[in-house]
Amino acid sequence: MSRAARQTLIAELREHALVIGEVTLSSGRTASYYVDARRALLRPAGFLAAGELIAAAAGEVGAVAVGGPATAAIPPTCAALAVPAGDRLVGFFVRGERKEHGLQRWVEGPVEAGMRCLVVEDTVTTGGSTVRAIRRMREEGLEIAGAVCVVDRLAGGGDAIAGAAGAPFRALVTIDDLYPERPDR
C-alpha cells in the first residue's frame, strides 16, 4: 500500500468526511460521530489516493472487476478505474432492488459469471449492505477475490464481510486513524 496515498487519504477524510456530533447510522444505531467518506472521495486528492490504493488491492488479489453496493461503492469504484493501475479493471454496482424495466439486472456493469471481483465500500459499520451485495454477486456467478472498504468504523462489519465473502477483507483506513480520541474508544 502506498504510504503517500494512504496519508493523503487520511488527511482528506479528516478534513472533509469526519463529522463530530450525534447521528443515526444506517444500522439504526446512534453514534457521536459520522464518517461521510464520499465528501472526501468526491474531491480530487481523496479520489486519486483511494483509487491508487483500491487498484493496488485489486491487483494483489487478482481481481479484474471492482464494485459493490450502490451508491456507496460507486465513488471508490470510479476512483480505482481512474488511476493508471486501474486501466485493466472494469467496474460494477449491485442494486438494492432489481430494476423493473430494461434488462432487470441486480448487477450493473460489464461483468459476467466467473469474473474475479474486489468488493468495495466507502464506510463500513455493521457490513449489512456489503453482505447483501456479496450474496447478489454470488447469485450472479461472480467470484469474490477480496473486499476493501475506505473506512472501517471497527464495529464488527469487517468480520461480517470477510465471512460472507469467504475472502480477505481489509480497510484502507480505520476510525482509529481518523479520530483516535473518540469517546467510544
Side-chain angles (χ1 to χ4, degrees), residues 72-85:
I74 294 172
T77 296
C78 292
L81 301 177
V83 298

Side-chain angles (χ1 to χ4, degrees), residues 17 21 27 35 44-45 50 53 56 58 60 65 73 78 83-84 92 105-106 110-111 118 120 157 165-167 173:
S27 64
V35 180
L53 297 169
E60 290 168 15
C78 292
V83 298
F92 66 92
R105 294 184 179 171
W106 281 104
V111 292
L118 178 69
V120 296
V173 174

Side-chain angles (χ1 to χ4, degrees), residues 33-127:
Y33 62 91
Y34 184 70
V35 180
D36 186 353
R38 284 166 257 189
R39 290 171 55 174
L41 294 176
L42 293 172
R43 294 172 182 272
F47 186 82
L48 293 173
E52 180 182 329
L53 297 169
I54 294 165
E60 290 168 15
V61 298
V64 297
V66 294
T71 59
I74 294 172
T77 296
C78 292
L81 301 177
V83 298
D87 67 352
R88 60 180 171 65
L89 299 169
V90 297
F92 66 92
F93 68 90
V94 181
R95 292 179 172 279
E97 294 183 25
R98 184 187 298 258
K99 193 173 169 182
E100 295 297 323
H101 58 283
L103 299 177
Q104 301 178 345
R105 294 184 179 171
W106 281 104
V107 179
E108 296 287 355
V111 292
E112 56 190 51
M115 291 180 82
R116 286 183 58 83
C117 300
L118 178 69
V119 180
V120 296
E121 169 75 273
D122 60 0
T123 304
V124 168
T125 303
T126 65

Side-chain angles (χ1 to χ4, degrees), residues 10 16 19 39 54 99 126 132 144 150 156 174 185:
I10 289 170
H16 302 293
V19 178
R39 290 171 55 174
I54 294 165
K99 193 173 169 182
T126 65
R132 285 187 297 279
I144 313 300
V150 176
T174 70
R185 185 159 192 200

Side-chain angles (χ1 to χ4, degrees), residues 13-25 31-36 39 153 175 178-184:
L13 289 164
R14 278 185 185 148
E15 182 176 351
H16 302 293
L18 182 62
V19 178
I20 309 301
E22 190 167 318
V23 294
T24 302
L25 305 172
S32 60
Y33 62 91
Y34 184 70
V35 180
D36 186 353
R39 290 171 55 174
R153 289 177 52 97
I175 192 60
L178 301 181
Y179 189 26
E181 67 279 4
R182 72 186 188 283
D184 65 347

Side-chain angles (χ1 to χ4, degrees), residues 61 116-117 138 143-147 158-159 161-170:
V61 298
R116 286 183 58 83
C117 300
R138 286 200 192 288
E143 182 183 337
I144 313 300
D159 291 337
I161 293 167
F169 167 83
R170 80 174 198 216

Side-chain angles (χ1 to χ4, degrees), residues 120-160:
V120 296
E121 169 75 273
D122 60 0
T123 304
V124 168
T125 303
T126 65
S129 62
T130 307
V131 168
R132 285 187 297 279
I134 288 168
R135 288 183 189 133
R136 290 284 181 218
M137 292 169 64
R138 286 200 192 288
E139 289 170 4
E140 299 295 319
L142 299 173
E143 182 183 337
I144 313 300
V148 169
C149 74
V150 176
V151 181
D152 186 350
R153 289 177 52 97
L154 301 175
D159 291 337

